[in-house]
């Protein structure tokens, strides 16, 4: 369909292009500014344009698609083995083309503007949570220097505030002032996190995909939004196991000589979805939720025999496969136990 492939090494001010035929023969090399690159691609015949996954890659991929080109994004770790000797932008652009022409190569799905916008909201909330955690730790460490020990966690900030407001507080006045300032900052971050939570719930209500995902136990608005924002089109996975492997919810393999050796969790996939699925799975097997699990079910037998964390990861793997089935078949969640009984 196309006879030309262009590898683009993106940067802030200068792009390096490697133009080659589909068989790998070099046709041209260019060094262009973003404006020059846009003009060059507008005049170029339709071709395959490949970007390395990095900042602005999805934006430029969408721009190329609007111009009639076929845009692809390749993960950086797949490009690195094809870089010849010295690392520079010129060689990077060539390596992008060489890697993209491999028949077994996997590419990243180009995200829409809506997907990226939802990802921005998700990342903003995560950033606020991290900042609040930093403030809480700073507050606890300051009080620890004066002999006051508080457990880890945001839930103990109220006790700290009561200590600072107590009339018999033994802390120096300057320390009390600084700690009260930290408490005020924590309260401000909490208000902003609450506002983000409301926004995420609203976004989840507006999306049919997010509403469908929330029919599964252990999947809330946060997990549903993360799947919608960060996961690619499920059609690119041949089965649910492939999606679970993409998330990193599979054992790390170190097999050789025909002997299989499986280790700990690989953690080689999408961090946010994997973490939220594990949290959702743990919420189904600890606390009061544990008493609702039938003893003769798959989950009930696992909980009775295995450590809770191991069961949680196994359940998260199963949830990932169920999510793939739900999205590929456009169906709501169906309890496997009830389906089997029917």
């Amino acid at each position: 369909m196309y006879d030309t492939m262009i590898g683009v090494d993106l940067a802030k001010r200068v792009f390096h292009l490697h133009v080659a035929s589909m068989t790998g023969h070099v046709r041209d090399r260019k060094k262009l500014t973003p404006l020059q690159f846009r003009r060059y691609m507008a005049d170029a015949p339709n071709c395959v344009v490949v970007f390395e996954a990095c900042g602005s890659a999805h934006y430029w991929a969408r721009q190329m698609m609007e111009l009639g080109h076929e845009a692809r994004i390749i993960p950086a770790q797949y490009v690195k083995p094809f870089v010849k000797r010295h690392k520079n932008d010129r060689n990077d652009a060539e390596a992008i083309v060489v890697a993209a022409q491999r028949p077994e190569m996997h590419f990243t799905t180009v995200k829409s503007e809506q997907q990226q916008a939802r990802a921005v909201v998700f990342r903003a909330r995560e950033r606020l949570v991290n900042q609040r955690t930093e403030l809480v730790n700073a507050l606890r460490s300051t009080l620890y220097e004066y002999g006051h020990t508080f457990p880890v966690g945001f839930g103990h900030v109220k006790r700290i505030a009561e200590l600072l407001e107590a009339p018999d507080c033994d802390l120096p006045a300057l320390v009390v002032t600084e700690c009260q300032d930290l408490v005020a900052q924590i309260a401000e971050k909490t208000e902003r996190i609450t506002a983000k939570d409301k926004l995420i719930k609203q976004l989840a209500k507006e999306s049919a995909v997010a509403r469908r995902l929330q029919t599964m136990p252990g999947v809330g608005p946060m997990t549903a939004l993360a799947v919608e924002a960060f996961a690619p089109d499920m059609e690119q996975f041949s089965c649910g196991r492939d999606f679970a492997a993409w998330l990193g919810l599979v054992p790390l393999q170190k097999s050789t000589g025909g002997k299989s050796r499986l280790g700990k969790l690989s953690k080689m996939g999408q961090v946010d979805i994997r973490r939220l699925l594990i949290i959702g799975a743990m919420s189904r097997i600890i606390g009061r939720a544990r008493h609702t699990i039938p003893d003769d079910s798959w989950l009930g037998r696992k909980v009775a025999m295995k450590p809770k964390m191991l069961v949680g990861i196994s359940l998260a793997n199963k949830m990932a496969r169920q999510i793939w089935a739900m999205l590929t078949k456009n169906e709501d969640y169906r309890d496997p136990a009830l389906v089997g009984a029917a």
Side-chain angles (χ1 to χ4, degrees):
M1 185 175 181
Y2 302 102
D3 63 350
T4 303
M5 178 177 287
I6 301 178
V8 185
D9 184 68
L10 297 172
K12 294 180 180 178
R13 297 181 178 86
V14 178
F15 296 172
H16 280 77
L17 277 62
H18 182 88
V19 185
S21 67
M22 299 305 289
T23 56
H25 296 288
V26 181
R27 292 180 175 175
D28 199 1
R29 300 177 189 266
K30 287 188 176 293
K31 180 180 178 182
L32 305 174
T33 64
L35 182 59
Q36 292 172 338
F37 171 66
R38 193 188 301 272
R39 292 173 179 171
Y40 174 81
M41 295 307 302
D43 297 334
N46 291 349
C47 60
V48 180
V49 187
V50 189
F51 302 92
E52 188 178 35
C54 62
S56 76
H58 289 279
Y59 166 78
W60 283 109
R62 291 194 298 267
Q63 293 294 308
M64 295 301 102
M65 293 167 68
E66 290 179 3
L67 294 174
H69 303 291
E70 180 181 333
R72 301 177 185 175
I73 299 177
I74 185 169
Q77 63 266 30
Y78 295 163
V79 176
K80 187 176 181 180
F82 296 95
V83 177
K84 294 180 181 177
R85 297 177 69 85
H86 299 288
K87 167 76 170 64
N88 55 54
D89 295 341
R90 178 188 173 102
N91 289 344
D92 285 349
E94 180 180 357
I96 290 171
V97 172
V98 175
Q101 291 182 341
R102 302 296 302 171
E104 72 279 5
M105 188 55 61
H106 294 282
F107 298 94
T108 301
T109 305
V110 178
K111 295 185 184 299
S112 65
E113 288 185 353
Q114 192 68 13
Q115 274 186 297
Q116 283 196 291
R118 292 173 183 269
V120 168
V121 174
F122 185 89
R123 293 282 187 232
R125 183 191 179 278
E126 291 293 301
R127 183 170 58 252
L128 288 171
V129 171
N130 292 335
Q131 291 172 354
R132 185 178 67 178
T133 302
E134 179 184 354
L135 292 170
V136 172
N137 290 337
L139 181 60
R140 290 177 53 250
S141 62
T142 300
L143 295 175
Y144 182 63
E145 293 295 333
Y146 289 90
H148 295 280
T149 305
F150 291 91
V152 176
F154 166 71
H156 302 284
V157 174
K158 186 177 180 180
R159 288 176 52 196
I160 296 175
E162 292 174 354
L163 170 67
L164 298 174
E165 296 172 359
D168 56 345
C169 181
D170 59 348
L171 297 172
L174 189 58
V175 174
V176 172
T177 302
E178 290 300 318
C179 288
Q180 287 177 340
D181 181 61
L182 286 172
V183 170
Q185 293 183 58
I186 293 170
E188 187 266 339
K189 296 293 181 186
T190 302
E191 290 180 3
R192 296 180 65 183
I193 291 171
T194 303
K196 295 293 182 186
D197 289 340
K198 292 180 180 178
L199 175 59
I200 288 173
K201 289 180 180 179
Q202 182 61 35
L203 292 173
K205 288 181 181 179
E206 296 173 356
S207 170
V209 172
R211 290 197 303 270
R212 171 170 288 125
L213 291 174
Q214 290 180 79
T215 61
M216 176 186 292
V219 175
M222 196 74 62
T223 307
L225 185 75
V227 172
E228 190 175 11
F230 299 115
D233 185 3
M234 292 296 165
E235 296 295 336
Q236 79 173 52
F237 301 109
S238 59
C239 62
R241 284 186 173 88
D242 289 347
F243 177 55
W246 181 81
L247 292 175
L249 285 169
V250 293
L252 182 65
Q253 291 193 40
K254 293 185 178 179
S255 305
T256 184
K259 184 178 292 185
S260 298
R261 294 184 177 89
L262 302 180
K264 58 184 180 180
L265 200 66
S266 69
K267 297 184 181 180
M268 290 184 177
Q270 217 290 325
V271 178
D272 305 286
I273 301 176
R274 181 178 66 244
R275 174 174 56 83
L276 290 170
L277 283 179
I278 293 175
I279 292 173
M282 292 300 293
S283 70
R284 296 174 60 182
I285 61 176
I286 61 176
R288 296 180 181 178
R290 181 177 181 181
H291 301 294
T292 63
I293 303 173
D295 295 334
D296 59 344
S297 64
W298 172 85
L299 187 56
R301 294 192 298 270
K302 285 284 187 180
V303 171
M305 295 186 299
K306 301 292 185 179
K308 291 181 181 178
M309 194 63 197
L310 181 62
V311 178
I313 293 174
S314 299
L315 180 57
N317 180 289
K318 191 170 185 177
M319 291 169 64
R321 289 183 275 129
Q322 291 169 336
I323 286 174
W324 175 87
M326 291 165 60
L327 296 183
T328 53
K329 298 178 181 178
N330 293 322
E331 296 179 357
D332 290 348
Y333 176 78
R334 292 184 295 171
D335 191 338
L338 299 178
V339 174

